[in-house]
């Protein structure tokens, strides 16, 4: 199990370094070389170890200069996107998981779907109030653009992590490549992020490494090649990911296991990074029970232990502590902690992510310069 290397080569270092390369006064922790135009190709689920396992399927990406970063905890999309959008660690920006308790409210909030129960709404600026890197860039004279499917444009998650971007809706691969290259040519300096999510979606359903997943990796490789070949002079393409993935070899139904369900008020997080919210006075009993049942299969810690171990970064904002489970359970190996009644779709997955293993934490940072 890894402790994410915040400040030592993590996704939290990427936003400032990219802006510093464009000449803005941001920390350049990754020591990126100066450039006039930056293109960040963000591939959901492209773990470094997954890419390294299939160089024949992704010859273009595999031939690029590369370094390895850590995603942060949990290794999941909402957390990593917020890290990339703010330059802050999870403990600072507060997006510490996919399904989180709203402190004092008695219910969970799905940060990916931006969904609350009973028609309640969540203001993105209330849940994630930090200024984004894109807002800082725009204030400094760089108008960042984000190229992604139209369905994500007006979502709460986009409002939380991409505030300040010029959203360029593009659904097909061809349209995303075209709009990205057009945006790069329009301005100087330029900062354009383009997103591709189907690799991750395929991995969840059928697992990574299989035929369908490899077809998606081929698409990613070709998309990166086309972006690189179309770069205008003075531009740099960076390719990275939000997390990696593992294929499940064992599943435990938390709801259907009495020893794990007893004392639990709400089950948050996701199958590889569980936030367990307990009934009042039950935290110690739940911690002990989960440790006993999951011995040798998962790291089970208290909220305080997770914070003190630096899983969410060197600092956790006091206001976000209640979002973290009273107990945090992080499987290793191929274990998934499922909840089929509450989350039947997730329980059917083959591929999962969120934990502190190298396969989930390690993401590439690849570079092409013109």
């Amino acid at each position: 199990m890894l402790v994410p290397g915040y400040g030592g080569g993590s996704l939290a270092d990427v936003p400032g370094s990219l802006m510093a390369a464009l000449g803005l006064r941001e920390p350049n922790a990754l020591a990126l070389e100066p450039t006039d135009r930056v293109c960040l190709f963000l591939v959901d689920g492209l773990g470094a170890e997954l890419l390294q396992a299939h160089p024949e399927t992704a010859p273009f990406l595999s031939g690029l200069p590369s370094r390895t970063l850590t995603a942060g905890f949990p290794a999941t999309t909402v957390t990593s996107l917020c890290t990339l959008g703010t330059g802050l660690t999870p403990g600072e920006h507060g997006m510490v998981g996919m399904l989180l308790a709203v402190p004092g409210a008695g219910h969970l909030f799905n940060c990916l779907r931006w969904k609350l129960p009973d028609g309640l709404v969540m203001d993105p600026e209330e849940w994630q109030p930090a200024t984004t890197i894109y807002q800082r860039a725009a204030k400094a004279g760089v108008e960042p653009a984000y190229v992604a499917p139209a369905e994500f444009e007006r979502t709460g998650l986009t409002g939380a992590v991409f505030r300040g971007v010029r959203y360029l809706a593009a659904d097909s691969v061809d349209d995303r490549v075209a709009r990205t290259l057009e945006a790069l040519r329009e301005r100087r300096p330029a900062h354009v992020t383009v997103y591709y999510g189907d690799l991750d979606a395929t991995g969840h359903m059928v697992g990574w490494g299989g035929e369908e997943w490899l077809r998606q990796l081929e698409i990613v490789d070709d998309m990166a090649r086309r972006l690189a070949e179309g770069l205008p002079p003075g531009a740099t393409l960076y390719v990275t990911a939000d997390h990696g993935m593992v294929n499940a070899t064992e599943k435990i139904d938390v709801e259907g296991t009495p020893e794990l369900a007893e004392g639990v008020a709400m089950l948050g997080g996701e199958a590889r990074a569980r936030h367990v919210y307990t009934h009042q006075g039950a935290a110690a009993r739940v911690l002990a029970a989960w440790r006993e049942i999951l011995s040798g299969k998962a790291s089970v810690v208290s909220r305080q232990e997770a914070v003190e171990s630096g899983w969410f970064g060197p600092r956790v904002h006091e206001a976000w502590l209640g979002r973290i489970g009273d107990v945090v359970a992080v499987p290793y190996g191929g274990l998934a902690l499922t909840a089929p009644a509450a989350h039947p779709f997730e329980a059917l997955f083959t591929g999962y992510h969120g934990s502190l293993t190298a396969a989930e934490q390690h993401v590439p940072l690849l570079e092409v310069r013109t």
Side-chain angles (χ1 to χ4, degrees):
M1 303 285 277
L2 300 172
V3 175
Y6 303 110
S10 73
L11 285 181
D13 299 319
V14 171
S17 297
L18 293 178
M19 295 302 178
L22 288 170
L24 277 64
R25 298 183 66 179
E26 293 280 345
N28 192 355
L30 298 177
L32 301 184
E33 294 294 326
T35 187
D36 292 331
R37 298 178 173 95
V38 160
C39 177
L40 180 65
F41 182 21
L42 176 57
V43 184
D44 202 319
L46 184 66
E49 295 200 353
L50 281 59
L51 177 61
Q52 291 165 7
H54 294 284
E56 73 290 344
T57 306
F60 179 76
L61 290 173
S62 299
L64 297 179
S66 173
R67 67 180 91 180
T68 299
L69 308 177
T70 51
F73 181 76
T76 196
T77 298
V78 295
T79 303
S80 293
L81 287 187
C82 200
T83 296
L84 287 168
T86 61
L88 302 176
T89 63
E92 294 170 318
H93 60 60
M95 204 84 82
V96 292
M98 185 184 74
L99 190 63
L100 299 175
V102 179
H107 58 68
L108 297 168
F109 173 45
N110 188 317
C111 302
L112 182 65
R113 305 299 176 193
W114 214 258
K115 185 177 180 181
L116 285 165
D118 303 323
L120 298 172
V121 297
M122 177 66 74
D123 181 351
E125 294 194 46
E126 178 182 342
W127 187 257
Q128 197 299 98
T131 302
T132 70
I133 193 77
Y134 313 110
Q135 290 173 308
R136 299 201 296 272
K139 189 175 181 179
V142 176
E143 184 182 358
Y146 180 56
V147 182
E151 64 178 307
F152 302 142
E153 182 170 3
R154 304 189 188 283
T155 65
L157 180 59
T158 296
V161 306
F162 289 108
R163 287 195 297 271
V165 301
R166 180 168 57 110
Y167 198 105
L168 303 176
D171 292 327
S172 71
V173 169
D174 288 347
D175 286 347
R176 268 177 259 184
V177 171
R179 297 215 72 174
T180 299
L181 296 177
E182 180 184 2
L184 285 170
R185 297 186 189 103
E186 282 177 350
R187 289 168 171 79
R188 190 171 185 167
H191 185 291
V192 183
T193 301
V194 55
Y195 172 81
Y196 187 80
D198 290 354
L199 184 75
D200 176 70
T202 301
H204 278 306
M205 297 313 301
V206 301
W208 79 272
E211 184 177 341
E212 292 181 51
W213 187 87
L214 290 173
R215 282 200 295 269
Q216 283 296 321
L217 183 59
E218 288 179 341
I219 292 171
V220 169
D221 193 63
D222 184 64
M223 190 172 172
R225 179 189 58 78
R226 292 168 62 188
L227 288 168
E229 291 177 351
L231 290 175
T236 306
L237 169 67
Y238 292 99
V239 183
T240 194
D242 50 353
H243 54 75
M245 183 171 284
V246 299
N247 292 337
T249 56
E250 179 185 4
K251 296 182 181 182
I252 294 178
D253 176 358
V254 174
E255 298 163 319
T257 306
E259 298 90 342
L260 296 177
E262 185 177 356
V264 175
M266 298 184 295
L267 187 66
E270 55 197 288
R272 294 281 294 176
R274 281 294 178 202
H275 287 278
V276 185
Y277 306 97
T278 65
H279 290 294
Q280 187 172 1
R285 296 198 312 273
V286 172
L287 177 63
W290 279 60
R291 279 180 170 165
E292 180 179 355
I293 298 299
L294 299 177
S295 177
K297 297 182 177 182
S299 180
V300 180
V301 300
S302 67
R303 174 191 294 134
Q304 181 177 351
E305 288 170 327
V307 170
E308 292 179 351
S309 296
W311 286 5
F312 302 101
R315 295 171 299 280
V316 176
H317 195 295
E318 185 175 356
W320 312 146
L321 286 173
R323 298 180 181 183
I324 300 171
D326 298 290
V327 174
V328 183
V330 184
Y332 33 83
L335 174 64
L337 300 172
T338 64
H343 310 293
F345 189 57
E346 181 194 41
L348 297 174
F349 287 172
T350 298
Y352 293 89
H353 53 77
S355 185
L356 290 165
T357 69
E360 293 155 282
Q361 281 290 322
H362 284 165
V363 295
L365 184 65
L366 313 170
E367 180 179 342
V368 180
R369 300 179 68 88
T370 60

